[in-house]
Amino acid sequence: MNSRTVNKIWTGIFYIVAIFIVLLLGFLVFEILKRGWGFWDLSFLTGKSSNVEAGGGIGYQLWNSFYMLIITLIISVPLGLGAGIYLAEYAKPGKLLNFIRLCIDTMASLPSIVVGLFGLLVFVTATGWGYTIIGGALAITILNLPSLARVSESAILDVPGSVKEASLGLGATRWQTIVKITLPSAMPQIITGVILAAGRIFGEAAALIYTAGLMTPILNPAADLSNPVNPFNIFRPAETLAVHIWKLNSEGIVPDAQAIATKSAAVLIIMVLIFNLLARLFSTLLQKHFEGSKGKKKKTQAAA
């Protein structure tokens, strides 16, 4: 068998694997949406959940999931990006760097239930906060930090060294090169890392059960920010959508628990898809912005 034939066979195998994965993903999304059909009902999306009566909604859980996403990204993205910059640009190759990478890889393999128990000991008990949004956000940050750091490091290392050297050769400092040259070039891969982190935030349940709690107080936007019923208070318990699905399937006693769980799963899928699309759109606009800036500079130089 010659090399051309082998190449065609392997190309066909890779196409089959890719088509299988796409079909599997499509079937999964289709089944979840079919079982949760009717999830767009406004009374369901904005209504309050009930532990005893049928017809409950997911309004609080939906808000809590979005709020948890924002708080967690505010904490984890700067830390993950900073760690990636350090590993790629400032850390000297050697045993220490290898040890740091080993620690990050080990953290990435930690089961979420273990991180949840750690969060229970530290963010709930030791701090005296109780079950809070900030405790849940810090626990998920521990889960997301390793992947964000390694994705950022990989993205920065993929930027051609000649581009960085040209920037340094023109008199830019290392920090200016990182901010104006390296990070814009690496942004698409970094956005991919943020999307993966967001998916974990939306879908995480085990860590949040022990840190953010299994209930949400009746929220009142008019209450003082320090009041636990204020929806923006980060020191209040918050049951997210993923935790709500778990609770309905494990200990739900309402007659329509299964229907609420399947509709909630459909909403969760739609939330993840919308966030992914918006993140991709943001990445594309950001890239066009930087490319446009380069184009304007070229036109200015040509005119001069």
Side-chain angles (χ1 to χ4, degrees), residues 79-205:
L79 290 176
L81 188 57
I85 292 173
Y86 168 76
L87 292 172
E89 296 288 339
Y90 291 96
K92 294 180 180 177
K95 292 182 179 178
L96 179 61
L97 180 59
N98 292 335
F99 178 72
I100 292 173
R101 284 176 176 155
L102 178 65
C103 291
I104 291 173
D105 292 341
T106 305
M107 279 183 66
S109 61
L110 282 176
S112 57
I113 191 75
V114 174
V115 176
L117 289 172
F118 172 78
L120 178 67
L121 289 173
V122 177
F123 306 131
V124 176
T125 306
T127 58
W129 292 342
Y131 295 111
T132 59
I133 291 177
I134 187 67
L138 290 170
I140 301 182
T141 297
I142 294 174
L143 290 170
N144 279 337
L145 207 51
S147 59
L148 275 173
R150 292 309 297 265
V151 168
S152 301
E153 179 194 5
S154 175
I156 292 169
L157 288 175
D158 283 347
V159 177
S162 57
V163 177
K164 301 176 189 175
E165 289 170 5
S167 174
L168 294 170
L170 290 171
T173 62
R174 176 182 280 190
W175 177 246
Q176 287 173 326
T177 302
I178 291 172
V179 173
K180 295 184 181 296
I181 304 295
T182 307
L183 288 182
S185 302
M187 194 53 67
Q189 287 188 54
I190 294 173
I191 292 291
T192 301
V194 174
I195 289 173
L196 294 175
R200 183 154 200 177
I201 297 167
F202 277 130
E204 183 56 49

Side-chain angles (χ1 to χ4, degrees), residues 17-44:
V17 170
I19 291 170
F20 174 74
I21 291 172
V22 171
L23 289 177
L24 184 63
L25 181 62
F27 174 74
L28 184 67
V29 173
F30 174 75
E31 274 297 311
I32 292 173
L33 294 181
K34 188 181 76 173
R35 291 173 186 271
W37 200 247
F39 61 87
W40 58 82
D41 185 7
L42 197 60
S43 61
F44 173 71

Side-chain angles (χ1 to χ4, degrees), residues 10 14 25 32 40 48 68 79 113 134 190 208 213-214 226 229 237 239 254 271 286 293:
W10 278 109
F14 289 138
L25 181 62
I32 292 173
W40 58 82
K48 297 176 185 175
M68 184 70 75
L79 290 176
I113 191 75
I134 187 67
I190 294 173
L208 294 178
L214 290 167
S226 60
V229 300
E239 181 192 30
V254 290
M271 284 168 58
L286 202 62
S293 299

Side-chain angles (χ1 to χ4, degrees), residues 191-192 194-200 202 269-283:
I191 292 291
T192 301
V194 174
I195 289 173
L196 294 175
R200 183 154 200 177
F202 277 130
I269 287 286
I270 295 297
M271 284 168 58
V272 172
L273 290 175
I274 290 175
F275 181 84
N276 287 0
L277 290 174
L278 291 176
R280 291 291 179 194
L281 179 64
F282 174 73
S283 173

Side-chain angles (χ1 to χ4, degrees), residues 232-261:
F232 294 98
N233 187 348
I234 60 174
F235 292 98
R236 67 169 175 84
E239 181 192 30
T240 62
L241 204 52
V243 173
H244 189 57
I245 294 170
W246 172 84
K247 194 168 74 172
L248 286 169
N249 282 316
S250 59
E251 55 188 41
I253 57 173
V254 290
D256 58 346
Q258 192 62 37
I260 296 175

